[in-house]
Amino acid sequence: MKPLLGFSRLIDTITENIGKAVGWLILVAVLVSAGNAVIRKIFNMSSNAWLEAQWYLFGAAFMFAAAYTLSQNEHIRIDVVYGSFSRRVQHWIDLFGHVFFLMPFVLLMLYYLVPYVRMSYVSGEVSSSAGGLIIWPAKAILLIGFVLLALQGVSEIIKKIAIMTGNMEDPTPYAATHAPLDEAVGPEVRS
């Protein structure tokens, strides 16, 4: 189990570094958007390439941060029932979800994205908008994002099994639960 946990730590480190770095892509996208808006208003000029570059940057930030979000256990879930279970049951639910939902979906996306990106690259596909950008980098962003998500899914499965078998301490031994309404709000709100 130790080699697998080492592999998991390597994936987590890569994911964390990428996840923290892509935050800067949002700033760059905002600057591109603002610059394009200023140029359009002041000089009455615009460029589809700048608009598409902004989309590429937002897409890259979203896709590259998905694996980091998974590693931080921050993906949206409806935990009305989940939070009422013991931590052990929660680990089983997470493991089941990773193995039977996350990984099949991610692997299916990779199966379809590899030829999709390759075909776009080989054909030199460009945007249908006048002055637009080449398309294959945007498609490659999708592929890279799903590769990162697949790797992080493997890491999460390794960690869940290690926690459940006692080979690793649970980094979050107490899962957050929502307090009943009476406890969550003060008496002034209830009356």
Side-chain angles (χ1 to χ4, degrees), residues 31-45:
L31 293 174
V32 166
S33 176
N36 194 31
V38 168
I39 290 170
R40 186 175 63 244
K41 294 296 180 186
I42 293 176
F43 301 109
N44 199 24
M45 295 171 47

Side-chain angles (χ1 to χ4, degrees), residues 139-189:
K139 292 180 178 181
I141 287 168
L142 287 170
L143 178 61
I144 294 165
F146 276 104
V147 166
L148 292 171
L149 193 56
L151 287 171
Q152 190 59 46
V154 169
S155 175
E156 295 302 312
I157 290 168
I158 291 169
K159 288 186 290 190
K160 289 295 174 189
I161 292 171
I163 290 168
M164 291 167 39
T165 58
N167 290 304
M168 178 181 163
E169 286 293 317
D170 187 354
T172 53
Y174 303 105
T177 58
H178 298 287
L181 181 60
D182 288 342
E183 296 173 19
V185 297
E188 65 281 348
V189 176

Side-chain angles (χ1 to χ4, degrees), residues 85-102:
F85 290 124
S86 70
R87 195 67 183 120
R88 181 155 179 81
V89 172
Q90 290 175 350
H91 287 307
W92 276 106
I93 291 170
D94 290 341
L95 181 61
F96 181 85
H98 293 331
V99 171
F100 292 105
F101 293 105
L102 174 68

